[in-house]
PDB file of all heavy atoms in Angstrom:
ATOM      1  N   GLU A 242       0.806  -1.202   0.015  1.00  0.00           N
ATOM      2  CA  GLU A 242      -0.002   0.002  -0.001  1.00  0.00           C
ATOM      3  C   GLU A 242       0.854   1.281  -0.002  1.00  0.00           C
ATOM      4  O   GLU A 242       0.641   2.197   0.772  1.00  0.00           O
ATOM      5  CB  GLU A 242      -0.960  -0.005   1.197  1.00  0.00           C
ATOM      6  CG  GLU A 242      -1.973  -1.155   1.154  1.00  0.00           C
ATOM      7  CD  GLU A 242      -2.905  -1.133   2.330  1.00  0.00           C
ATOM      8  OE1 GLU A 242      -2.544  -1.667   3.400  1.00  0.00           O
ATOM      9  OE2 GLU A 242      -4.048  -0.628   2.172  1.00  0.00           O
ATOM     10  N   CYS A 243       1.830   1.292  -0.920  1.00  0.00           N
ATOM     11  CA  CYS A 243       2.712   2.443  -1.031  1.00  0.00           C
ATOM     12  C   CYS A 243       2.586   3.136  -2.376  1.00  0.00           C
ATOM     13  O   CYS A 243       3.389   4.018  -2.720  1.00  0.00           O
ATOM     14  CB  CYS A 243       4.167   2.037  -0.787  1.00  0.00           C
ATOM     15  SG  CYS A 243       4.873   0.932  -1.963  1.00  0.00           S
ATOM     16  N   SER A 244       1.554   2.761  -3.144  1.00  0.00           N
ATOM     17  CA  SER A 244       1.300   3.474  -4.396  1.00  0.00           C
ATOM     18  C   SER A 244       0.314   4.611  -4.103  1.00  0.00           C
ATOM     19  O   SER A 244       0.035   4.913  -2.941  1.00  0.00           O
ATOM     20  CB  SER A 244       0.753   2.504  -5.438  1.00  0.00           C
ATOM     21  OG  SER A 244       0.662   3.144  -6.702  1.00  0.00           O
ATOM     22  N   CYS A 245      -0.209   5.224  -5.151  1.00  0.00           N
ATOM     23  CA  CYS A 245      -1.217   6.276  -5.002  1.00  0.00           C
ATOM     24  C   CYS A 245      -1.990   6.317  -6.297  1.00  0.00           C
ATOM     25  O   CYS A 245      -1.567   5.762  -7.319  1.00  0.00           O
ATOM     26  CB  CYS A 245      -0.535   7.604  -4.713  1.00  0.00           C
ATOM     27  SG  CYS A 245       0.500   8.243  -6.040  1.00  0.00           S
ATOM     28  N   PRO A 246      -3.186   6.917  -6.314  1.00  0.00           N
ATOM     29  CA  PRO A 246      -3.995   6.942  -7.521  1.00  0.00           C
ATOM     30  C   PRO A 246      -3.295   7.486  -8.737  1.00  0.00           C
ATOM     31  O   PRO A 246      -3.516   6.998  -9.875  1.00  0.00           O
ATOM     32  CB  PRO A 246      -5.192   7.811  -7.123  1.00  0.00           C
ATOM     33  CG  PRO A 246      -5.290   7.636  -5.635  1.00  0.00           C
ATOM     34  CD  PRO A 246      -3.894   7.525  -5.173  1.00  0.00           C
ATOM     35  N   GLU A 247      -2.472   8.500  -8.549  1.00  0.00           N
ATOM     36  CA  GLU A 247      -1.766   9.088  -9.688  1.00  0.00           C
ATOM     37  C   GLU A 247      -0.782   8.101 -10.344  1.00  0.00           C
ATOM     38  O   GLU A 247      -0.724   7.961 -11.561  1.00  0.00           O
ATOM     39  CB  GLU A 247      -1.019  10.357  -9.234  1.00  0.00           C
ATOM     40  CG  GLU A 247      -1.938  11.494  -8.831  1.00  0.00           C
ATOM     41  CD  GLU A 247      -2.421  11.376  -7.372  1.00  0.00           C
ATOM     42  OE1 GLU A 247      -2.058  10.398  -6.699  1.00  0.00           O
ATOM     43  OE2 GLU A 247      -3.156  12.277  -6.946  1.00  0.00           O
ATOM     44  N   LEU A 248       0.005   7.402  -9.487  1.00  0.00           N
ATOM     45  CA  LEU A 248       0.931   6.403 -10.000  1.00  0.00           C
ATOM     46  C   LEU A 248       0.181   5.239 -10.681  1.00  0.00           C
ATOM     47  O   LEU A 248       0.598   4.722 -11.718  1.00  0.00           O
ATOM     48  CB  LEU A 248       1.832   5.854  -8.892  1.00  0.00           C
ATOM     49  CG  LEU A 248       2.965   6.791  -8.472  1.00  0.00           C
ATOM     50  CD1 LEU A 248       3.609   6.266  -7.183  1.00  0.00           C
ATOM     51  CD2 LEU A 248       4.021   6.857  -9.564  1.00  0.00           C
ATOM     52  N   ASP A 249      -0.938   4.840 -10.066  1.00  0.00           N
ATOM     53  CA  ASP A 249      -1.716   3.786 -10.666  1.00  0.00           C
ATOM     54  C   ASP A 249      -2.237   4.199 -12.036  1.00  0.00           C
ATOM     55  O   ASP A 249      -2.196   3.366 -12.986  1.00  0.00           O
ATOM     56  CB  ASP A 249      -2.929   3.435  -9.753  1.00  0.00           C
ATOM     57  CG  ASP A 249      -2.508   2.846  -8.416  1.00  0.00           C
ATOM     58  OD1 ASP A 249      -1.375   2.335  -8.309  1.00  0.00           O
ATOM     59  OD2 ASP A 249      -3.320   2.946  -7.453  1.00  0.00           O
ATOM     60  N   GLU A 250      -2.671   5.399 -12.165  1.00  0.00           N
ATOM     61  CA  GLU A 250      -3.160   5.903 -13.465  1.00  0.00           C
ATOM     62  C   GLU A 250      -2.066   5.969 -14.492  1.00  0.00           C
ATOM     63  O   GLU A 250      -2.252   5.571 -15.658  1.00  0.00           O
ATOM     64  CB  GLU A 250      -3.816   7.269 -13.280  1.00  0.00           C
ATOM     65  CG  GLU A 250      -4.432   7.813 -14.579  1.00  0.00           C
ATOM     66  CD  GLU A 250      -5.050   9.196 -14.395  1.00  0.00           C
ATOM     67  OE1 GLU A 250      -5.065   9.709 -13.265  1.00  0.00           O
ATOM     68  OE2 GLU A 250      -5.503   9.766 -15.406  1.00  0.00           O
ATOM     69  N   ILE A 251      -0.873   6.478 -14.105  1.00  0.00           N
ATOM     70  CA  ILE A 251       0.240   6.575 -15.030  1.00  0.00           C
ATOM     71  C   ILE A 251       0.615   5.175 -15.533  1.00  0.00           C
ATOM     72  O   ILE A 251       0.848   4.974 -16.728  1.00  0.00           O
ATOM     73  CB  ILE A 251       1.458   7.215 -14.342  1.00  0.00           C
ATOM     74  CG1 ILE A 251       1.213   8.724 -14.183  1.00  0.00           C
ATOM     75  CG2 ILE A 251       2.730   6.988 -15.167  1.00  0.00           C
ATOM     76  CD1 ILE A 251       2.311   9.441 -13.417  1.00  0.00           C
ATOM     77  N   CYS A 252       0.675   4.184 -14.629  1.00  0.00           N
ATOM     78  CA  CYS A 252       1.051   2.841 -15.023  1.00  0.00           C
ATOM     79  C   CYS A 252      -0.003   2.239 -15.977  1.00  0.00           C
ATOM     80  O   CYS A 252       0.324   1.530 -16.924  1.00  0.00           O
ATOM     81  CB  CYS A 252       1.220   1.958 -13.806  1.00  0.00           C
ATOM     82  SG  CYS A 252       2.699   2.341 -12.832  1.00  0.00           S
ATOM     83  N   LYS A 253      -1.286   2.526 -15.712  1.00  0.00           N
ATOM     84  CA  LYS A 253      -2.317   2.014 -16.576  1.00  0.00           C
ATOM     85  C   LYS A 253      -2.194   2.600 -17.981  1.00  0.00           C
ATOM     86  O   LYS A 253      -2.269   1.904 -18.986  1.00  0.00           O
ATOM     87  CB  LYS A 253      -3.688   2.338 -15.995  1.00  0.00           C
ATOM     88  CG  LYS A 253      -4.859   1.855 -16.830  1.00  0.00           C
ATOM     89  CD  LYS A 253      -6.181   2.212 -16.175  1.00  0.00           C
ATOM     90  CE  LYS A 253      -7.352   1.726 -17.040  1.00  0.00           C
ATOM     91  NZ  LYS A 253      -8.677   2.059 -16.414  1.00  0.00           N
ATOM     92  N   ILE A 254      -2.013   3.914 -18.061  1.00  0.00           N
ATOM     93  CA  ILE A 254      -1.852   4.570 -19.345  1.00  0.00           C
ATOM     94  C   ILE A 254      -0.636   4.064 -20.073  1.00  0.00           C
ATOM     95  O   ILE A 254      -0.638   3.821 -21.269  1.00  0.00           O
ATOM     96  CB  ILE A 254      -1.752   6.118 -19.154  1.00  0.00           C
ATOM     97  CG1 ILE A 254      -3.082   6.676 -18.640  1.00  0.00           C
ATOM     98  CG2 ILE A 254      -1.373   6.809 -20.446  1.00  0.00           C
ATOM     99  CD1 ILE A 254      -3.027   8.143 -18.240  1.00  0.00           C
ATOM    100  N   ALA A 255       0.480   3.881 -19.322  1.00  0.00           N
ATOM    101  CA  ALA A 255       1.731   3.435 -19.900  1.00  0.00           C
ATOM    102  C   ALA A 255       1.581   2.039 -20.537  1.00  0.00           C
ATOM    103  O   ALA A 255       2.084   1.804 -21.623  1.00  0.00           O
ATOM    104  CB  ALA A 255       2.821   3.422 -18.838  1.00  0.00           C
ATOM    105  N   ARG A 256       0.912   1.139 -19.843  1.00  0.00           N
ATOM    106  CA  ARG A 256       0.740  -0.208 -20.400  1.00  0.00           C
ATOM    107  C   ARG A 256      -0.100  -0.179 -21.644  1.00  0.00           C
ATOM    108  O   ARG A 256       0.164  -0.892 -22.621  1.00  0.00           O
ATOM    109  CB  ARG A 256       0.090  -1.101 -19.334  1.00  0.00           C
ATOM    110  CG  ARG A 256       1.025  -1.360 -18.154  1.00  0.00           C
ATOM    111  CD  ARG A 256       0.244  -1.960 -16.972  1.00  0.00           C
ATOM    112  NE  ARG A 256       1.104  -2.024 -15.775  1.00  0.00           N
ATOM    113  CZ  ARG A 256       0.609  -2.206 -14.545  1.00  0.00           C
ATOM    114  NH1 ARG A 256      -0.672  -2.389 -14.375  1.00  0.00           N
ATOM    115  NH2 ARG A 256       1.440  -2.225 -13.501  1.00  0.00           N
ATOM    116  N   GLN A 257      -1.136   0.666 -21.660  1.00  0.00           N
ATOM    117  CA  GLN A 257      -1.960   0.787 -22.847  1.00  0.00           C
ATOM    118  C   GLN A 257      -1.181   1.425 -23.993  1.00  0.00           C
ATOM    119  O   GLN A 257      -1.519   1.197 -25.162  1.00  0.00           O
ATOM    120  CB  GLN A 257      -3.224   1.638 -22.502  1.00  0.00           C
ATOM    121  CG  GLN A 257      -4.143   0.964 -21.535  1.00  0.00           C
ATOM    122  CD  GLN A 257      -5.275   1.885 -21.077  1.00  0.00           C
ATOM    123  OE1 GLN A 257      -5.201   3.097 -21.199  1.00  0.00           O
ATOM    124  NE2 GLN A 257      -6.328   1.288 -20.527  1.00  0.00           N
ATOM    125  N   ALA A 258      -0.159   2.200 -23.630  1.00  0.00           N
ATOM    126  CA  ALA A 258       0.636   2.887 -24.664  1.00  0.00           C
ATOM    127  C   ALA A 258       1.803   2.032 -25.176  1.00  0.00           C
ATOM    128  O   ALA A 258       2.586   2.496 -25.996  1.00  0.00           O
ATOM    129  CB  ALA A 258       1.194   4.195 -24.122  1.00  0.00           C
ATOM    130  N   GLY A 259       1.941   0.801 -24.683  1.00  0.00           N
ATOM    131  CA  GLY A 259       2.958  -0.078 -25.225  1.00  0.00           C
ATOM    132  C   GLY A 259       4.033  -0.512 -24.237  1.00  0.00           C
ATOM    133  O   GLY A 259       4.968  -1.238 -24.654  1.00  0.00           O
ATOM    134  N   SER A 260       3.952  -0.096 -23.004  1.00  0.00           N
ATOM    135  CA  SER A 260       4.948  -0.541 -22.008  1.00  0.00           C
ATOM    136  C   SER A 260       4.794  -2.017 -21.715  1.00  0.00           C
ATOM    137  O   SER A 260       3.663  -2.502 -21.495  1.00  0.00           O
ATOM    138  CB  SER A 260       4.789   0.259 -20.718  1.00  0.00           C
ATOM    139  OG  SER A 260       5.580  -0.287 -19.697  1.00  0.00           O
ATOM    140  N   PHE A 261       5.890  -2.758 -21.710  1.00  0.00           N
ATOM    141  CA  PHE A 261       5.843  -4.180 -21.321  1.00  0.00           C
ATOM    142  C   PHE A 261       5.509  -4.256 -19.824  1.00  0.00           C
ATOM    143  O   PHE A 261       4.848  -5.200 -19.392  1.00  0.00           O
ATOM    144  CB  PHE A 261       7.187  -4.857 -21.583  1.00  0.00           C
ATOM    145  CG  PHE A 261       7.474  -5.130 -23.021  1.00  0.00           C
ATOM    146  CD1 PHE A 261       8.370  -4.317 -23.719  1.00  0.00           C
ATOM    147  CD2 PHE A 261       6.849  -6.174 -23.693  1.00  0.00           C
ATOM    148  CE1 PHE A 261       8.643  -4.561 -25.053  1.00  0.00           C
ATOM    149  CE2 PHE A 261       7.113  -6.423 -25.023  1.00  0.00           C
ATOM    150  CZ  PHE A 261       8.029  -5.618 -25.711  1.00  0.00           C
ATOM    151  N   GLY A 262       6.041  -3.338 -19.061  1.00  0.00           N
ATOM    152  CA  GLY A 262       5.830  -3.333 -17.611  1.00  0.00           C
ATOM    153  C   GLY A 262       5.992  -1.964 -17.056  1.00  0.00           C
ATOM    154  O   GLY A 262       6.835  -1.188 -17.525  1.00  0.00           O
ATOM    155  N   SER A 263       5.218  -1.630 -16.020  1.00  0.00           N
ATOM    156  CA  SER A 263       5.290  -0.301 -15.432  1.00  0.00           C
ATOM    157  C   SER A 263       5.111  -0.429 -13.930  1.00  0.00           C
ATOM    158  O   SER A 263       4.252  -1.201 -13.453  1.00  0.00           O
ATOM    159  CB  SER A 263       4.179   0.592 -15.995  1.00  0.00           C
ATOM    160  OG  SER A 263       4.335   0.776 -17.385  1.00  0.00           O
ATOM    161  N   ARG A 264       5.898   0.324 -13.188  1.00  0.00           N
ATOM    162  CA  ARG A 264       5.767   0.316 -11.740  1.00  0.00           C
ATOM    163  C   ARG A 264       6.319   1.603 -11.142  1.00  0.00           C
ATOM    164  O   ARG A 264       7.037   2.351 -11.812  1.00  0.00           O
ATOM    165  CB  ARG A 264       6.575  -0.860 -11.133  1.00  0.00           C
ATOM    166  CG  ARG A 264       8.078  -0.737 -11.290  1.00  0.00           C
ATOM    167  CD  ARG A 264       8.812  -1.923 -10.682  1.00  0.00           C
ATOM    168  NE  ARG A 264       8.588  -2.068  -9.273  1.00  0.00           N
ATOM    169  CZ  ARG A 264       9.276  -1.416  -8.304  1.00  0.00           C
ATOM    170  NH1 ARG A 264      10.236  -0.551  -8.642  1.00  0.00           N
ATOM    171  NH2 ARG A 264       8.993  -1.625  -7.044  1.00  0.00           N
ATOM    172  N   LEU A 265       5.935   1.855  -9.899  1.00  0.00           N
ATOM    173  CA  LEU A 265       6.552   2.971  -9.201  1.00  0.00           C
ATOM    174  C   LEU A 265       8.003   2.665  -8.880  1.00  0.00           C
ATOM    175  O   LEU A 265       8.408   1.500  -8.871  1.00  0.00           O
ATOM    176  CB  LEU A 265       5.769   3.279  -7.896  1.00  0.00           C
ATOM    177  CG  LEU A 265       5.766   2.208  -6.800  1.00  0.00           C
ATOM    178  CD1 LEU A 265       6.975   2.288  -5.905  1.00  0.00           C
ATOM    179  CD2 LEU A 265       4.490   2.388  -5.923  1.00  0.00           C
ATOM    180  N   THR A 266       8.786   3.672  -8.621  1.00  0.00           N
ATOM    181  CA  THR A 266      10.163   3.462  -8.187  1.00  0.00           C
ATOM    182  C   THR A 266      10.464   4.490  -7.085  1.00  0.00           C
ATOM    183  O   THR A 266       9.952   5.581  -7.106  1.00  0.00           O
ATOM    184  CB  THR A 266      11.140   3.616  -9.363  1.00  0.00           C
ATOM    185  OG1 THR A 266      12.459   3.287  -8.931  1.00  0.00           O
ATOM    186  CG2 THR A 266      11.138   4.989  -9.954  1.00  0.00           C
ATOM    187  N   GLY A 267      11.263   4.064  -6.135  1.00  0.00           N
ATOM    188  CA  GLY A 267      11.482   4.880  -4.960  1.00  0.00           C
ATOM    189  C   GLY A 267      10.607   4.392  -3.807  1.00  0.00           C
ATOM    190  O   GLY A 267      10.076   3.274  -3.850  1.00  0.00           O
ATOM    191  N   ALA A 268      10.445   5.208  -2.800  1.00  0.00           N
ATOM    192  CA  ALA A 268       9.736   4.770  -1.592  1.00  0.00           C
ATOM    193  C   ALA A 268       8.238   4.682  -1.820  1.00  0.00           C
ATOM    194  O   ALA A 268       7.549   3.921  -1.128  1.00  0.00           O
ATOM    195  CB  ALA A 268       9.997   5.771  -0.447  1.00  0.00           C
ATOM    196  N   GLY A 269       7.701   5.361  -2.842  1.00  0.00           N
ATOM    197  CA  GLY A 269       6.277   5.269  -3.122  1.00  0.00           C
ATOM    198  C   GLY A 269       5.514   6.471  -2.568  1.00  0.00           C
ATOM    199  O   GLY A 269       6.085   7.478  -2.189  1.00  0.00           O
ATOM    200  N   TRP A 270       4.168   6.348  -2.553  1.00  0.00           N
ATOM    201  CA  TRP A 270       3.264   7.406  -2.112  1.00  0.00           C
ATOM    202  C   TRP A 270       3.461   8.672  -2.951  1.00  0.00           C
ATOM    203  O   TRP A 270       3.389   9.777  -2.463  1.00  0.00           O
ATOM    204  CB  TRP A 270       3.404   7.701  -0.637  1.00  0.00           C
ATOM    205  CG  TRP A 270       3.037   6.532   0.243  1.00  0.00           C
ATOM    206  CD1 TRP A 270       1.760   6.090   0.478  1.00  0.00           C
ATOM    207  CD2 TRP A 270       3.915   5.673   0.953  1.00  0.00           C
ATOM    208  NE1 TRP A 270       1.823   4.988   1.318  1.00  0.00           N
ATOM    209  CE2 TRP A 270       3.120   4.725   1.628  1.00  0.00           C
ATOM    210  CE3 TRP A 270       5.294   5.636   1.126  1.00  0.00           C
ATOM    211  CZ2 TRP A 270       3.664   3.733   2.430  1.00  0.00           C
ATOM    212  CZ3 TRP A 270       5.827   4.640   1.912  1.00  0.00           C
ATOM    213  CH2 TRP A 270       5.020   3.700   2.586  1.00  0.00           C
ATOM    214  N   GLY A 271       3.701   8.464  -4.236  1.00  0.00           N
ATOM    215  CA  GLY A 271       4.011   9.567  -5.125  1.00  0.00           C
ATOM    216  C   GLY A 271       5.408   9.395  -5.686  1.00  0.00           C
ATOM    217  O   GLY A 271       6.005   8.316  -5.570  1.00  0.00           O
ATOM    218  N   GLY A 272       5.913  10.402  -6.348  1.00  0.00           N
ATOM    219  CA  GLY A 272       7.275  10.307  -6.856  1.00  0.00           C
ATOM    220  C   GLY A 272       7.320   9.816  -8.304  1.00  0.00           C
ATOM    221  O   GLY A 272       6.575  10.294  -9.155  1.00  0.00           O
ATOM    222  N   CYS A 273       8.197   8.856  -8.546  1.00  0.00           N
ATOM    223  CA  CYS A 273       8.525   8.476  -9.932  1.00  0.00           C
ATOM    224  C   CYS A 273       7.982   7.100 -10.313  1.00  0.00           C
ATOM    225  O   CYS A 273       7.650   6.291  -9.480  1.00  0.00           O
ATOM    226  CB  CYS A 273      10.063   8.503 -10.110  1.00  0.00           C
ATOM    227  SG  CYS A 273      10.819  10.092  -9.771  1.00  0.00           S
ATOM    228  N   SER A 274       7.944   6.890 -11.611  1.00  0.00           N
ATOM    229  CA  SER A 274       7.580   5.579 -12.165  1.00  0.00           C
ATOM    230  C   SER A 274       8.604   5.209 -13.237  1.00  0.00           C
ATOM    231  O   SER A 274       9.291   6.078 -13.788  1.00  0.00           O
ATOM    232  CB  SER A 274       6.175   5.607 -12.764  1.00  0.00           C
ATOM    233  OG  SER A 274       6.085   6.555 -13.789  1.00  0.00           O
ATOM    234  N   VAL A 275       8.698   3.922 -13.518  1.00  0.00           N
ATOM    235  CA  VAL A 275       9.639   3.433 -14.518  1.00  0.00           C
ATOM    236  C   VAL A 275       8.891   2.441 -15.435  1.00  0.00           C
ATOM    237  O   VAL A 275       8.017   1.706 -14.987  1.00  0.00           O
ATOM    238  CB  VAL A 275      10.856   2.742 -13.860  1.00  0.00           C
ATOM    239  CG1 VAL A 275      10.445   1.576 -13.008  1.00  0.00           C
ATOM    240  CG2 VAL A 275      11.884   2.329 -14.892  1.00  0.00           C
ATOM    241  N   HIS A 276       9.242   2.470 -16.731  1.00  0.00           N
ATOM    242  CA  HIS A 276       8.485   1.692 -17.720  1.00  0.00           C
ATOM    243  C   HIS A 276       9.470   1.009 -18.684  1.00  0.00           C
ATOM    244  O   HIS A 276      10.475   1.595 -19.087  1.00  0.00           O
ATOM    245  CB  HIS A 276       7.568   2.630 -18.501  1.00  0.00           C
ATOM    246  CG  HIS A 276       6.773   3.539 -17.613  1.00  0.00           C
ATOM    247  ND1 HIS A 276       5.582   3.192 -17.036  1.00  0.00           N
ATOM    248  CD2 HIS A 276       7.040   4.817 -17.207  1.00  0.00           C
ATOM    249  CE1 HIS A 276       5.124   4.215 -16.311  1.00  0.00           C
ATOM    250  NE2 HIS A 276       6.009   5.187 -16.373  1.00  0.00           N
ATOM    251  N   LEU A 277       9.147  -0.211 -19.039  1.00  0.00           N
ATOM    252  CA  LEU A 277       9.964  -0.961 -19.986  1.00  0.00           C
ATOM    253  C   LEU A 277       9.345  -0.854 -21.370  1.00  0.00           C
ATOM    254  O   LEU A 277       8.267  -1.382 -21.632  1.00  0.00           O
ATOM    255  CB  LEU A 277      10.017  -2.447 -19.554  1.00  0.00           C
ATOM    256  CG  LEU A 277      10.891  -3.371 -20.371  1.00  0.00           C
ATOM    257  CD1 LEU A 277      12.361  -2.925 -20.336  1.00  0.00           C
ATOM    258  CD2 LEU A 277      10.774  -4.807 -19.905  1.00  0.00           C
ATOM    259  N   VAL A 278      10.063  -0.146 -22.245  1.00  0.00           N
ATOM    260  CA  VAL A 278       9.519   0.215 -23.555  1.00  0.00           C
ATOM    261  C   VAL A 278      10.557  -0.094 -24.630  1.00  0.00           C
ATOM    262  O   VAL A 278      11.767   0.053 -24.402  1.00  0.00           O
ATOM    263  CB  VAL A 278       9.143   1.704 -23.580  1.00  0.00           C
ATOM    264  CG1 VAL A 278       8.550   2.090 -24.938  1.00  0.00           C
ATOM    265  CG2 VAL A 278       8.182   2.038 -22.472  1.00  0.00           C
ATOM    266  N   ARG A 279      10.088  -0.478 -25.827  1.00  0.00           N
ATOM    267  CA  ARG A 279      10.994  -0.649 -26.938  1.00  0.00           C
ATOM    268  C   ARG A 279      11.715   0.675 -27.261  1.00  0.00           C
ATOM    269  O   ARG A 279      11.080   1.733 -27.203  1.00  0.00           O
ATOM    270  CB  ARG A 279      10.232  -1.110 -28.180  1.00  0.00           C
ATOM    271  CG  ARG A 279       9.686  -2.518 -28.119  1.00  0.00           C
ATOM    272  CD  ARG A 279       8.952  -2.833 -29.426  1.00  0.00           C
ATOM    273  NE  ARG A 279       8.414  -4.147 -29.444  1.00  0.00           N
ATOM    274  CZ  ARG A 279       9.106  -5.243 -29.776  1.00  0.00           C
ATOM    275  NH1 ARG A 279      10.394  -5.121 -30.083  1.00  0.00           N
ATOM    276  NH2 ARG A 279       8.539  -6.429 -29.768  1.00  0.00           N
ATOM    277  N   GLN A 280      12.960   0.577 -27.635  1.00  0.00           N
ATOM    278  CA  GLN A 280      13.714   1.786 -27.956  1.00  0.00           C
ATOM    279  C   GLN A 280      13.079   2.550 -29.115  1.00  0.00           C
ATOM    280  O   GLN A 280      12.986   3.775 -29.080  1.00  0.00           O
ATOM    281  CB  GLN A 280      15.167   1.446 -28.259  1.00  0.00           C
ATOM    282  CG  GLN A 280      16.055   2.676 -28.466  1.00  0.00           C
ATOM    283  CD  GLN A 280      17.509   2.273 -28.607  1.00  0.00           C
ATOM    284  OE1 GLN A 280      17.856   1.131 -28.679  1.00  0.00           O
ATOM    285  NE2 GLN A 280      18.397   3.277 -28.635  1.00  0.00           N
ATOM    286  N   ASP A 281      12.617   1.809 -30.105  1.00  0.00           N
ATOM    287  CA  ASP A 281      12.047   2.481 -31.271  1.00  0.00           C
ATOM    288  C   ASP A 281      10.641   3.000 -31.016  1.00  0.00           C
ATOM    289  O   ASP A 281      10.046   3.635 -31.885  1.00  0.00           O
ATOM    290  CB  ASP A 281      12.063   1.569 -32.503  1.00  0.00           C
ATOM    291  CG  ASP A 281      11.283   0.269 -32.281  1.00  0.00           C
ATOM    292  OD1 ASP A 281      10.612   0.151 -31.237  1.00  0.00           O
ATOM    293  OD2 ASP A 281      11.384  -0.618 -33.145  1.00  0.00           O
ATOM    294  N   GLY A 282      10.120   2.728 -29.803  1.00  0.00           N
ATOM    295  CA  GLY A 282       8.780   3.221 -29.509  1.00  0.00           C
ATOM    296  C   GLY A 282       8.765   4.266 -28.425  1.00  0.00           C
ATOM    297  O   GLY A 282       7.680   4.746 -28.012  1.00  0.00           O
ATOM    298  N   CYS A 283       9.960   4.704 -27.993  1.00  0.00           N
ATOM    299  CA  CYS A 283      10.034   5.665 -26.890  1.00  0.00           C
ATOM    300  C   CYS A 283       9.408   6.996 -27.187  1.00  0.00           C
ATOM    301  O   CYS A 283       8.699   7.580 -26.352  1.00  0.00           O
ATOM    302  CB  CYS A 283      11.509   5.844 -26.473  1.00  0.00           C
ATOM    303  SG  CYS A 283      12.172   4.582 -25.432  1.00  0.00           S
ATOM    304  N   GLU A 284       9.617   7.503 -28.368  1.00  0.00           N
ATOM    305  CA  GLU A 284       9.122   8.807 -28.708  1.00  0.00           C
ATOM    306  C   GLU A 284       7.601   8.835 -28.658  1.00  0.00           C
ATOM    307  O   GLU A 284       7.003   9.772 -28.063  1.00  0.00           O
ATOM    308  CB  GLU A 284       9.625   9.224 -30.111  1.00  0.00           C
ATOM    309  CG  GLU A 284       9.282  10.656 -30.482  1.00  0.00           C
ATOM    310  CD  GLU A 284       9.898  11.069 -31.800  1.00  0.00           C
ATOM    311  OE1 GLU A 284      10.873  10.416 -32.249  1.00  0.00           O
ATOM    312  OE2 GLU A 284       9.403  12.066 -32.375  1.00  0.00           O
ATOM    313  N   ASN A 285       6.965   7.861 -29.272  1.00  0.00           N
ATOM    314  CA  ASN A 285       5.502   7.813 -29.253  1.00  0.00           C
ATOM    315  C   ASN A 285       4.978   7.538 -27.854  1.00  0.00           C
ATOM    316  O   ASN A 285       3.932   8.091 -27.445  1.00  0.00           O
ATOM    317  CB  ASN A 285       4.987   6.741 -30.202  1.00  0.00           C
ATOM    318  CG  ASN A 285       5.164   7.115 -31.659  1.00  0.00           C
ATOM    319  OD1 ASN A 285       5.233   8.309 -32.004  1.00  0.00           O
ATOM    320  ND2 ASN A 285       5.222   6.140 -32.534  1.00  0.00           N
ATOM    321  N   PHE A 286       5.709   6.717 -27.124  1.00  0.00           N
ATOM    322  CA  PHE A 286       5.276   6.402 -25.733  1.00  0.00           C
ATOM    323  C   PHE A 286       5.281   7.687 -24.862  1.00  0.00           C
ATOM    324  O   PHE A 286       4.322   7.944 -24.163  1.00  0.00           O
ATOM    325  CB  PHE A 286       6.238   5.351 -25.153  1.00  0.00           C
ATOM    326  CG  PHE A 286       5.979   5.058 -23.678  1.00  0.00           C
ATOM    327  CD1 PHE A 286       4.978   4.170 -23.330  1.00  0.00           C
ATOM    328  CD2 PHE A 286       6.743   5.642 -22.702  1.00  0.00           C
ATOM    329  CE1 PHE A 286       4.712   3.896 -22.007  1.00  0.00           C
ATOM    330  CE2 PHE A 286       6.512   5.344 -21.353  1.00  0.00           C
ATOM    331  CZ  PHE A 286       5.504   4.484 -21.008  1.00  0.00           C
TER     332      PHE A 286
END
């Protein structure tokens, strides 16, 4: 229970946009997220 609605939304959008995997990074409760994306798809992502 260290995520937040904003991070959950970002990860959902990211997966729909082509991310193989998306998660928060850092302590949580806000902050940053990291996404696994094809190099040739980064710009569109």
Side-chain angles (χ1 to χ4, degrees):
E242 296 180 278
C243 64
S244 188
C245 64
E247 293 83 0
L248 282 169
D249 295 338
E250 182 181 357
I251 287 176
C252 289
K253 180 180 179 180
I254 293 171
R256 293 165 189 165
Q257 294 172 342
S260 170
F261 287 104
S263 299
R264 68 180 299 275
L265 64 83
T266 185
W270 296 287
C273 301
S274 60
V275 60
H276 313 274
L277 183 63
V278 181
R279 290 180 180 277
Q280 186 173 7
D281 59 8
C283 279
E284 186 174 342
N285 288 337
F286 175 80

